[in-house]
Amino acid sequence: MTPDGLSVAAAAADGTAGLWEVSTGRRTRTFAGAPGTVTAVAVLPSRDASPPRLVTGTDRGALAVWDTTSGARSRTLSGRGAAVETVAAAPDGSWLVSGTSDGAVRIWDPETAACLRTLDVPSDGRVTSVAASPDGRWIATTGRDGTLRIWEAATGDCVACVRAEAALEACGWHSDGAGVTAVGTGGLFAFAPHA
């Protein structure tokens, strides 16, 4: 969802990404020409007064940043490797985090296209989703092994790990940043990490 709450971004069945107007359901922008089929999408908030950008990940391992006004691709962050399965952006637009089908989770600088750090996910913890906390300090990841992990964005350190009884497929932070909700084959789980 865009910061103003008026549009939602998603991958489309035709392999592109798009923006849809929430009030009407009308597709208002198409982002075509990504290297591969779009498999993950996130809104990248602007660090100034300009409109937010869109980030897409593809089945060919590419991450691309798009101008939401023109629909043009402005930057490619990576272009090789395993399929990007999930991507999220810091609320202030200062970094991105991506998870790929080979289990790699990386934090990126969207301006320089540099990989800032790689999270040390255990080999059995293939990541299914990533989410940035509302204050940008933390990253939550879920895995097929049923784990929810909380990472410090600035260092890449894992600070908490809990396990559900079955695979977890998606997660999201509560709007106040006090907890994370995860969903998977075993149900819906709410976690409240404590310092």
Side-chain angles (χ1 to χ4, degrees), residues 120-130 139-151 158 160-171 180-184 189 191:
D120 189 19
V121 179
S123 59
D124 65 343
R126 186 171 165 197
V127 170
T128 54
S129 71
V130 295
I139 296 167
T141 63
T142 56
R144 284 187 173 55
D145 61 351
T147 57
L148 170 77
R149 291 181 173 87
I150 307 296
W151 309 81
C158 183
C161 179
V162 294
R163 189 180 297 264
E165 296 177 3
L168 294 174
E169 299 298 331
C171 65
V180 179
T181 296
V183 64
F189 305 91
F191 300 99

Side-chain angles (χ1 to χ4, degrees), residues 44 55 65 77 87-90 94-98 106-110:
L44 176 62
V55 178
V65 178
L77 278 71
V87 64
S94 62
W95 52 262
L96 300 168
V97 59
S98 65
R106 295 181 179 91
I107 301 173
W108 303 87
D109 183 322

Side-chain angles (χ1 to χ4, degrees), residues 25-191:
R26 182 177 62 92
R27 188 173 185 166
T28 58
R29 177 71 62 201
T30 297
F31 303 91
T37 299
V38 174
T39 52
V41 178
V43 174
L44 176 62
S46 175
R47 298 183 81 178
D48 54 29
S50 60
R53 293 165 290 169
L54 195 74
V55 178
T56 59
T58 71
D59 61 349
R60 295 184 189 167
L63 277 173
V65 178
W66 304 81
D67 183 310
T68 55
T69 302
S70 68
R73 182 170 30 148
S74 59
R75 181 168 289 106
T76 300
L77 278 71
S78 69
R80 299 184 190 132
V84 177
E85 294 192 339
T86 181
V87 64
D92 66 358
S94 62
W95 52 262
L96 300 168
V97 59
S98 65
T100 56
S101 60
D102 63 356
V105 178
R106 295 181 179 91
I107 301 173
W108 303 87
D109 183 322
E111 305 305 326
T112 66
C115 179
L116 302 174
R117 62 194 55 83
T118 300
L119 303 184
D120 189 19
V121 179
S123 59
D124 65 343
R126 186 171 165 197
V127 170
T128 54
S129 71
V130 295
S133 66
D135 63 6
R137 290 186 60 202
W138 312 104
I139 296 167
T141 63
T142 56
R144 284 187 173 55
D145 61 351
T147 57
L148 170 77
R149 291 181 173 87
I150 307 296
W151 309 81
E152 187 173 17
T155 64
D157 293 336
C158 183
V159 297
C161 179
V162 294
R163 189 180 297 264
E165 296 177 3
L168 294 174
E169 299 298 331
C171 65
W173 285 88
H174 302 171
S175 60
D176 62 3
V180 179
T181 296
V183 64
T185 56
L188 184 70
F189 305 91
F191 300 99

